[in-house]
Short mmCIF file of all heavy atoms in Angstrom, two decimals:
data_model
loop_
_atom_site.label_atom_id
_atom_site.label_comp_id
_atom_site.label_asym_id
_atom_site.label_seq_id
_atom_site.Cartn_x
_atom_site.Cartn_y
_atom_site.Cartn_z
N LEU A 8 17.08 -19.34 8.54
CA LEU A 8 15.87 -19.87 7.93
C LEU A 8 14.62 -19.11 8.36
O LEU A 8 13.68 -18.97 7.59
CB LEU A 8 15.71 -21.35 8.28
CG LEU A 8 16.58 -22.32 7.49
CD1 LEU A 8 16.47 -23.72 8.09
CD2 LEU A 8 16.20 -22.34 6.03
N VAL A 9 14.61 -18.62 9.58
CA VAL A 9 13.42 -17.94 10.07
C VAL A 9 13.40 -16.47 9.66
O VAL A 9 12.36 -15.95 9.24
CB VAL A 9 13.31 -18.08 11.61
CG1 VAL A 9 12.20 -17.22 12.16
CG2 VAL A 9 13.08 -19.53 11.98
N PHE A 10 14.54 -15.78 9.71
CA PHE A 10 14.52 -14.34 9.53
C PHE A 10 14.97 -13.84 8.16
O PHE A 10 14.54 -12.77 7.74
CB PHE A 10 15.36 -13.67 10.62
CG PHE A 10 14.76 -13.80 11.98
CD1 PHE A 10 15.36 -14.58 12.94
CD2 PHE A 10 13.58 -13.17 12.29
CE1 PHE A 10 14.80 -14.72 14.19
CE2 PHE A 10 13.00 -13.31 13.54
CZ PHE A 10 13.62 -14.08 14.49
N VAL A 11 15.83 -14.54 7.46
CA VAL A 11 16.34 -14.04 6.18
C VAL A 11 15.22 -13.88 5.14
O VAL A 11 15.19 -12.87 4.43
CB VAL A 11 17.51 -14.91 5.67
CG1 VAL A 11 17.85 -14.60 4.23
CG2 VAL A 11 18.73 -14.69 6.55
N PRO A 12 14.27 -14.82 5.00
CA PRO A 12 13.20 -14.58 4.02
C PRO A 12 12.39 -13.31 4.32
O PRO A 12 11.99 -12.60 3.40
CB PRO A 12 12.31 -15.82 4.15
CG PRO A 12 13.20 -16.87 4.67
CD PRO A 12 14.18 -16.18 5.55
N LYS A 13 12.17 -13.00 5.57
CA LYS A 13 11.46 -11.77 5.92
C LYS A 13 12.28 -10.55 5.55
O LYS A 13 11.75 -9.57 5.04
CB LYS A 13 11.13 -11.76 7.41
CG LYS A 13 10.14 -12.79 7.81
CD LYS A 13 9.88 -12.76 9.29
CE LYS A 13 8.93 -13.88 9.64
NZ LYS A 13 8.53 -13.86 11.01
N LEU A 14 13.57 -10.60 5.84
CA LEU A 14 14.43 -9.48 5.50
C LEU A 14 14.51 -9.28 3.99
O LEU A 14 14.51 -8.14 3.51
CB LEU A 14 15.84 -9.69 6.08
CG LEU A 14 15.93 -9.65 7.60
CD1 LEU A 14 17.35 -10.01 8.04
CD2 LEU A 14 15.55 -8.28 8.11
N ILE A 15 14.57 -10.36 3.24
CA ILE A 15 14.61 -10.26 1.78
C ILE A 15 13.32 -9.64 1.25
O ILE A 15 13.34 -8.77 0.37
CB ILE A 15 14.88 -11.64 1.14
CG1 ILE A 15 16.31 -12.07 1.43
CG2 ILE A 15 14.61 -11.62 -0.36
CD1 ILE A 15 16.61 -13.50 1.02
N THR A 16 12.19 -10.06 1.80
CA THR A 16 10.91 -9.50 1.37
C THR A 16 10.83 -8.02 1.69
O THR A 16 10.40 -7.22 0.85
CB THR A 16 9.75 -10.24 2.06
OG1 THR A 16 9.85 -11.62 1.75
CG2 THR A 16 8.42 -9.71 1.60
N MET A 17 11.26 -7.65 2.87
CA MET A 17 11.23 -6.24 3.25
C MET A 17 12.23 -5.42 2.45
O MET A 17 11.99 -4.25 2.17
CB MET A 17 11.50 -6.08 4.75
CG MET A 17 10.39 -6.60 5.62
SD MET A 17 8.80 -5.80 5.34
CE MET A 17 9.15 -4.17 5.93
N ARG A 18 13.34 -6.03 2.07
CA ARG A 18 14.37 -5.32 1.31
C ARG A 18 13.95 -5.11 -0.14
O ARG A 18 14.15 -4.03 -0.70
CB ARG A 18 15.68 -6.10 1.38
CG ARG A 18 16.80 -5.52 0.59
CD ARG A 18 17.35 -4.36 1.30
NE ARG A 18 18.69 -4.69 1.72
CZ ARG A 18 19.51 -3.78 2.13
NH1 ARG A 18 19.14 -2.54 2.17
NH2 ARG A 18 20.70 -4.10 2.52
N THR A 19 13.38 -6.13 -0.77
CA THR A 19 13.04 -6.03 -2.18
C THR A 19 11.85 -5.13 -2.43
O THR A 19 11.84 -4.34 -3.36
CB THR A 19 12.77 -7.42 -2.78
OG1 THR A 19 11.73 -8.05 -2.04
CG2 THR A 19 14.02 -8.27 -2.79
N ASN A 20 10.81 -5.26 -1.60
CA ASN A 20 9.60 -4.47 -1.84
C ASN A 20 8.89 -4.22 -0.51
O ASN A 20 7.93 -4.91 -0.18
CB ASN A 20 8.70 -5.22 -2.82
CG ASN A 20 7.69 -4.30 -3.44
OD1 ASN A 20 7.60 -3.13 -3.10
ND2 ASN A 20 6.90 -4.85 -4.35
N PRO A 21 9.33 -3.23 0.25
CA PRO A 21 8.75 -3.03 1.58
C PRO A 21 7.28 -2.62 1.55
O PRO A 21 6.50 -3.04 2.39
CB PRO A 21 9.62 -1.94 2.20
CG PRO A 21 10.30 -1.28 1.07
CD PRO A 21 10.38 -2.28 -0.05
N ASP A 22 6.89 -1.82 0.56
CA ASP A 22 5.49 -1.38 0.50
C ASP A 22 4.57 -2.53 0.16
O ASP A 22 3.50 -2.68 0.74
CB ASP A 22 5.33 -0.27 -0.53
CG ASP A 22 6.06 0.99 -0.10
OD1 ASP A 22 6.22 1.18 1.12
OD2 ASP A 22 6.48 1.76 -0.99
N ALA A 23 4.98 -3.38 -0.78
CA ALA A 23 4.14 -4.50 -1.18
C ALA A 23 4.02 -5.53 -0.05
O ALA A 23 2.96 -6.13 0.13
CB ALA A 23 4.70 -5.17 -2.42
N ALA A 24 5.08 -5.71 0.70
CA ALA A 24 5.05 -6.68 1.80
C ALA A 24 4.03 -6.26 2.86
O ALA A 24 3.21 -7.06 3.30
CB ALA A 24 6.43 -6.83 2.43
N THR A 25 4.04 -5.00 3.24
CA THR A 25 3.08 -4.55 4.24
C THR A 25 1.68 -4.43 3.65
O THR A 25 0.70 -4.71 4.31
CB THR A 25 3.51 -3.20 4.85
OG1 THR A 25 3.67 -2.26 3.78
CG2 THR A 25 4.80 -3.35 5.61
N GLN A 26 1.60 -4.04 2.38
CA GLN A 26 0.29 -3.91 1.73
C GLN A 26 -0.39 -5.27 1.59
O GLN A 26 -1.58 -5.39 1.81
CB GLN A 26 0.46 -3.26 0.35
CG GLN A 26 -0.82 -2.76 -0.25
CD GLN A 26 -1.36 -1.56 0.51
OE1 GLN A 26 -0.77 -1.07 1.47
NE2 GLN A 26 -2.51 -1.10 0.10
N ASN A 27 0.37 -6.30 1.19
CA ASN A 27 -0.20 -7.64 1.05
C ASN A 27 -0.76 -8.14 2.37
O ASN A 27 -1.80 -8.78 2.42
CB ASN A 27 0.84 -8.64 0.52
CG ASN A 27 1.11 -8.42 -0.95
OD1 ASN A 27 0.31 -7.83 -1.66
ND2 ASN A 27 2.25 -8.90 -1.41
N ARG A 28 -0.04 -7.88 3.44
CA ARG A 28 -0.51 -8.32 4.75
C ARG A 28 -1.84 -7.66 5.07
O ARG A 28 -2.78 -8.30 5.51
CB ARG A 28 0.50 -7.97 5.83
CG ARG A 28 1.62 -8.96 5.92
CD ARG A 28 2.48 -8.65 7.10
NE ARG A 28 3.83 -8.54 6.60
CZ ARG A 28 4.73 -7.71 7.03
NH1 ARG A 28 4.47 -6.89 8.00
NH2 ARG A 28 5.93 -7.68 6.52
N ARG A 29 -1.90 -6.35 4.86
CA ARG A 29 -3.13 -5.64 5.17
C ARG A 29 -4.27 -6.08 4.27
O ARG A 29 -5.39 -6.25 4.71
CB ARG A 29 -2.90 -4.13 5.03
CG ARG A 29 -2.00 -3.57 6.09
CD ARG A 29 -1.85 -2.09 5.93
NE ARG A 29 -0.82 -1.60 6.82
CZ ARG A 29 0.04 -0.66 6.52
NH1 ARG A 29 -0.01 -0.08 5.34
NH2 ARG A 29 0.93 -0.27 7.39
N LEU A 30 -3.98 -6.24 2.98
CA LEU A 30 -5.00 -6.62 2.04
C LEU A 30 -5.57 -7.99 2.35
O LEU A 30 -6.78 -8.16 2.41
CB LEU A 30 -4.42 -6.61 0.62
CG LEU A 30 -5.37 -6.99 -0.51
CD1 LEU A 30 -6.49 -5.97 -0.60
CD2 LEU A 30 -4.63 -7.09 -1.81
N LYS A 31 -4.71 -8.97 2.61
CA LYS A 31 -5.19 -10.30 2.91
C LYS A 31 -5.96 -10.33 4.22
O LYS A 31 -6.95 -11.02 4.35
CB LYS A 31 -4.03 -11.31 2.95
CG LYS A 31 -3.49 -11.61 1.58
CD LYS A 31 -2.50 -12.71 1.61
CE LYS A 31 -2.03 -13.01 0.20
NZ LYS A 31 -1.14 -14.13 0.14
N PHE A 32 -5.50 -9.55 5.19
CA PHE A 32 -6.20 -9.51 6.46
C PHE A 32 -7.59 -8.92 6.29
O PHE A 32 -8.57 -9.45 6.79
CB PHE A 32 -5.39 -8.70 7.48
CG PHE A 32 -6.04 -8.61 8.82
CD1 PHE A 32 -6.08 -9.73 9.65
CD2 PHE A 32 -6.62 -7.45 9.25
CE1 PHE A 32 -6.69 -9.66 10.88
CE2 PHE A 32 -7.24 -7.37 10.48
CZ PHE A 32 -7.26 -8.49 11.30
N THR A 33 -7.70 -7.83 5.54
CA THR A 33 -9.01 -7.22 5.35
C THR A 33 -9.91 -8.10 4.50
O THR A 33 -11.11 -8.16 4.73
CB THR A 33 -8.88 -5.82 4.71
OG1 THR A 33 -8.15 -5.94 3.49
CG2 THR A 33 -8.19 -4.86 5.64
N GLN A 34 -9.33 -8.80 3.50
CA GLN A 34 -10.15 -9.69 2.69
C GLN A 34 -10.70 -10.83 3.55
O GLN A 34 -11.87 -11.18 3.45
CB GLN A 34 -9.33 -10.26 1.53
CG GLN A 34 -9.08 -9.26 0.43
CD GLN A 34 -8.16 -9.82 -0.63
OE1 GLN A 34 -7.51 -10.84 -0.43
NE2 GLN A 34 -8.08 -9.13 -1.75
N ASN A 35 -9.85 -11.42 4.37
CA ASN A 35 -10.31 -12.50 5.25
C ASN A 35 -11.32 -11.99 6.25
O ASN A 35 -12.27 -12.68 6.59
CB ASN A 35 -9.13 -13.16 5.96
CG ASN A 35 -8.28 -13.96 5.01
OD1 ASN A 35 -8.74 -14.36 3.95
ND2 ASN A 35 -7.04 -14.18 5.38
N GLN A 36 -11.12 -10.78 6.73
CA GLN A 36 -12.05 -10.19 7.69
C GLN A 36 -13.41 -9.97 7.02
O GLN A 36 -14.44 -10.20 7.61
CB GLN A 36 -11.49 -8.87 8.23
CG GLN A 36 -12.18 -8.37 9.46
CD GLN A 36 -11.96 -9.30 10.64
OE1 GLN A 36 -10.97 -10.01 10.72
NE2 GLN A 36 -12.90 -9.31 11.55
N LYS A 37 -13.39 -9.53 5.74
CA LYS A 37 -14.65 -9.33 5.02
C LYS A 37 -15.38 -10.65 4.81
O LYS A 37 -16.60 -10.71 4.90
CB LYS A 37 -14.39 -8.65 3.68
CG LYS A 37 -14.05 -7.19 3.80
CD LYS A 37 -13.76 -6.57 2.46
CE LYS A 37 -13.32 -5.13 2.60
NZ LYS A 37 -12.95 -4.54 1.31
N LYS A 38 -14.62 -11.72 4.52
CA LYS A 38 -15.26 -13.03 4.36
C LYS A 38 -15.93 -13.46 5.66
O LYS A 38 -17.05 -13.95 5.64
CB LYS A 38 -14.22 -14.09 3.95
CG LYS A 38 -13.73 -13.94 2.53
CD LYS A 38 -12.67 -14.98 2.24
CE LYS A 38 -12.05 -14.76 0.87
NZ LYS A 38 -10.95 -15.69 0.61
N GLU A 39 -15.22 -13.27 6.77
CA GLU A 39 -15.81 -13.64 8.06
C GLU A 39 -17.01 -12.75 8.38
O GLU A 39 -18.01 -13.20 8.92
CB GLU A 39 -14.76 -13.55 9.16
CG GLU A 39 -13.68 -14.59 9.06
CD GLU A 39 -12.59 -14.39 10.09
OE1 GLU A 39 -12.75 -13.52 10.97
OE2 GLU A 39 -11.57 -15.08 10.00
N ASP A 40 -16.90 -11.47 8.02
CA ASP A 40 -17.99 -10.55 8.29
C ASP A 40 -19.23 -10.90 7.46
O ASP A 40 -20.35 -10.75 7.93
CB ASP A 40 -17.58 -9.10 8.00
CG ASP A 40 -16.62 -8.57 9.05
OD1 ASP A 40 -16.49 -9.22 10.11
OD2 ASP A 40 -15.99 -7.53 8.80
N SER A 41 -19.03 -11.34 6.22
CA SER A 41 -20.18 -11.69 5.39
C SER A 41 -20.91 -12.91 5.94
O SER A 41 -22.11 -13.03 5.78
CB SER A 41 -19.73 -11.94 3.94
OG SER A 41 -18.94 -13.11 3.88
N LYS A 42 -20.18 -13.81 6.61
CA LYS A 42 -20.81 -14.99 7.19
C LYS A 42 -21.72 -14.60 8.34
O LYS A 42 -22.78 -15.18 8.56
CB LYS A 42 -19.76 -15.98 7.68
CG LYS A 42 -18.96 -16.62 6.57
CD LYS A 42 -17.89 -17.52 7.16
CE LYS A 42 -16.98 -18.06 6.07
NZ LYS A 42 -15.86 -18.81 6.62
N THR A 43 -21.27 -13.62 9.11
CA THR A 43 -22.04 -13.24 10.30
C THR A 43 -22.73 -11.89 10.13
O THR A 43 -23.08 -11.25 11.10
CB THR A 43 -21.11 -13.18 11.52
OG1 THR A 43 -20.07 -12.22 11.25
CG2 THR A 43 -20.50 -14.53 11.81
N SER A 44 -22.91 -11.45 8.89
CA SER A 44 -23.43 -10.10 8.67
C SER A 44 -24.87 -9.95 9.15
O SER A 44 -25.25 -8.90 9.65
CB SER A 44 -23.32 -9.72 7.20
OG SER A 44 -24.11 -10.59 6.42
N THR A 45 -25.68 -10.98 9.01
CA THR A 45 -27.09 -10.85 9.42
C THR A 45 -27.20 -10.69 10.93
O THR A 45 -27.94 -9.83 11.41
CB THR A 45 -27.89 -12.07 8.96
OG1 THR A 45 -27.28 -13.26 9.49
CG2 THR A 45 -27.95 -12.16 7.45
#
């Protein structure tokens, strides 16, 4: 239950899995940065 979904995600589309993580992280970071930008 813990590891098979991750393996399936990495097996089906490894580039999209890592890209989504980076994209969401940077988007959330930009939201936090806009709050404290001043």
Side-chain angles (χ1 to χ4, degrees):
L8 282 172
V9 172
F10 292 112
V11 168
K13 292 179 184 185
L14 293 174
I15 290 172
T16 303
M17 291 301 293
R18 177 76 113 166
T19 56
N20 199 356
D22 294 333
T25 56
Q26 195 69 2
N27 286 339
R28 278 187 234 144
R29 290 182 189 142
L30 180 64
K31 287 187 178 184
F32 180 72
T33 55
Q34 286 174 346
N35 289 339
Q36 195 65 27
K37 286 179 184 176
K38 288 178 186 175
E39 291 174 8
D40 288 346
S41 67
K42 292 176 186 174
T43 59
S44 63
T45 56

